[in-house]
Amino acid sequence: MSDLLKKIADATDYISSRSGIRPVAGIILGSGLGGLVSDIADRTEIPYGDIPHFPVSTVEGHHGRLILGTMKGRPVVAMAGRFHYYEGFSMQQVTFPIRVMKALGIETLLISNAAGGMNAAFSVGDLMIIRDHINLQPEHPLRGPNDDRLGPRFPDMSEPYSKALIAKAGEIAAAANIAVHTGVYVGVQGPTFETRAEYKFMHIIGGDAVGMSTVPEVIVAVHAGLKVFAMSVITDIGIREEENVITHEEVLQAASAAEPKLTHIFRELIESI
Ligand code: HPA
C-alpha cells in the first residue's frame, strides 16, 4: 500500500470508529460560512487534531472540525474549516481531506468560499456559482508520482463543475428569489489580497472572482471522480478604486451576512441528490 493510501485508510478507519454515518455527500464550509453546521442532525463533531494525518488549520474564522450527520435525511460529512496553501501546508495536506471524504463514500462534493469580486455587475454579499476556474496557484496537488488507484495521471478538466448541479442550484435560487451570478473563479496563493493591477489582470484573463482556496480541492475531487459544485460569496470588490481597502474582518462579516442564502441553496441541493 502506498504511503498516501495508508494515511487515507488510517484517517477513514478512525472517523468510521467515531460515527456510523456513511456519507454520500461532502461539504466544505468557507470563511464565515459555518452556519450550515446547525442544519446537520444527529451530528458527530471530530476536531481535526484527533484524526490521524489531518493537518490542523490556523486561520481565524476556521473552526477546524469534521462533522458527520444527516441533512434532509441524507448522510453527509462537512468540513468546518479548510486548509490553505498560504498557511504553509503542502498541496497534499491541503487536499488530504478530499481523499478521506471520497474513501468514506461520498460521490458529490459541495464547496463554498469567500472571494473577491472582479465583475462590475457584482456587489458585496452576492453569490456566484463557479462554472469554471483558472488555476494561478504556484503548486499542483497532483504533482509527483500518480497512484492509479486514486485517479488517472492526466485528468480531464473540461467540466470540473457538474452542469447538472449548476442547473439545479439555479432552479433552487430562482424558486427562493435568491439572485445568483455564474462565473469563473481564479485561485491564487495569497495571503495578500490583490493589488489593483492584479484584480484588473485577473478580470482581463477571464476571472469574475478571486480567492485563496477551492481550486486544489476541486482538482483532487475531479481526479477522484467526484461530482463537484462550488459557490463563492463575494465579500469585497477589488476593481472599484474607492472600495479597494480589504480586511479579513470585512470578508468574514460579508460572508456571515450572505450565509443564510448559501445555506438554503446547499440544503436544497443535498436534498436533490
Ligand atoms: N482576494 C483573494 N481572496 C479573497 C478575497 C480577495 O479579494 N476576498 C476573499 N478572499
Side-chain angles (χ1 to χ4, degrees):
M1 205 190 268
S2 75
D3 198 34
L4 178 55
L5 277 177
K6 163 96 175 65
K7 285 182 175 166
I8 295 167
D10 289 347
T12 310
D13 289 349
Y14 176 76
I15 295 162
S16 300
S17 78
R18 295 277 307 265
S19 167
I21 291 282
R22 296 293 167 263
V24 295
I27 307 166
I28 303 179
L29 302 167
S31 314
L33 298 169
L36 191 98
V37 170
S38 50
D39 271 43
I40 302 177
D42 303 320
R43 57 183 186 267
T44 303
E45 305 202 5
I46 310 176
Y48 291 154
D50 291 0
I51 306 172
H53 315 298
F54 246 61
V56 177
S57 53
T58 60
V59 192
E60 185 198 335
H62 296 255
H63 308 282
R65 61 208 199 284
L66 198 69
I67 298 136
L68 292 103
T70 59
M71 242 182 120
K72 296 266 190 177
R74 307 278 188 289
V76 296
V77 55
M79 289 177 67
R82 57 146 64 89
F83 307 105
H84 304 85
Y85 188 69
Y86 66 75
E87 292 177 81
F89 299 117
S90 69
M91 282 295 187
Q92 282 68 32
Q93 289 177 301
V94 167
T95 56
F96 182 67
I98 315 297
R99 298 289 185 200
V100 172
M101 290 192 286
K102 161 81 183 183
L104 286 169
I106 71 164
E107 290 169 1
T108 303
L109 180 63
L110 309 188
I111 301 178
S112 62
N113 62 51
M118 302 178 300
N119 183 317
F122 291 6
S123 304
V124 168
D126 283 359
L127 299 179
M128 185 190 92
I129 295 172
I130 302 179
R131 68 171 167 78
D132 208 344
H133 73 229
I134 296 173
N135 183 12
L136 293 187
Q137 295 213 348
E139 211 212 298
H140 200 287
L142 302 180
R143 178 172 175 270
N146 188 63
D147 188 327
D148 294 335
R149 289 164 294 185
L150 293 173
R153 170 74 289 187
F154 299 108
D156 173 67
M157 290 295 280
S158 60
E159 194 193 317
Y161 301 89
S162 157
K163 283 211 176 92
L165 290 172
I166 291 173
K168 187 74 203 169
E171 287 166 23
I172 291 165
N177 251 321
I178 298 171
V180 284
H181 305 286
T182 303
V184 173
Y185 177 92
V186 182
V188 294
Q189 172 172 216
T192 43
F193 293 114
E194 288 62 41
T195 63
R196 290 169 194 225
E198 286 165 346
Y199 283 118
K200 195 172 163 196
F201 162 73
M202 289 180 208
H203 185 53
I204 289 169
I205 64 170
D208 298 293
V210 54
M212 306 173 197
S213 66
T214 302
V215 166
E217 299 157 357
V218 171
I219 290 170
V220 168
V222 169
H223 185 245
L226 298 175
K227 279 181 264 178
V228 177
F229 174 81
M231 184 173 252
S232 296
V233 174
I234 305 300
T235 56
D236 49 270
I237 302 287
I239 47 168
R240 279 173 211 146
E241 302 278 308
E242 72 277 12
E243 290 175 26
N244 214 47
V245 178
I246 298 162
T247 64
H248 185 55
E249 290 64 41
E250 179 189 33
V251 166
L252 291 180
Q253 206 192 345
S256 302
E259 195 265 338
K261 294 188 291 183
L262 180 129
T263 296
H264 176 80
I265 294 171
F266 274 35
R267 193 193 296 129
E268 301 288 311
L269 263 186
I270 292 282
E271 190 176 22
S272 80
I273 60 178

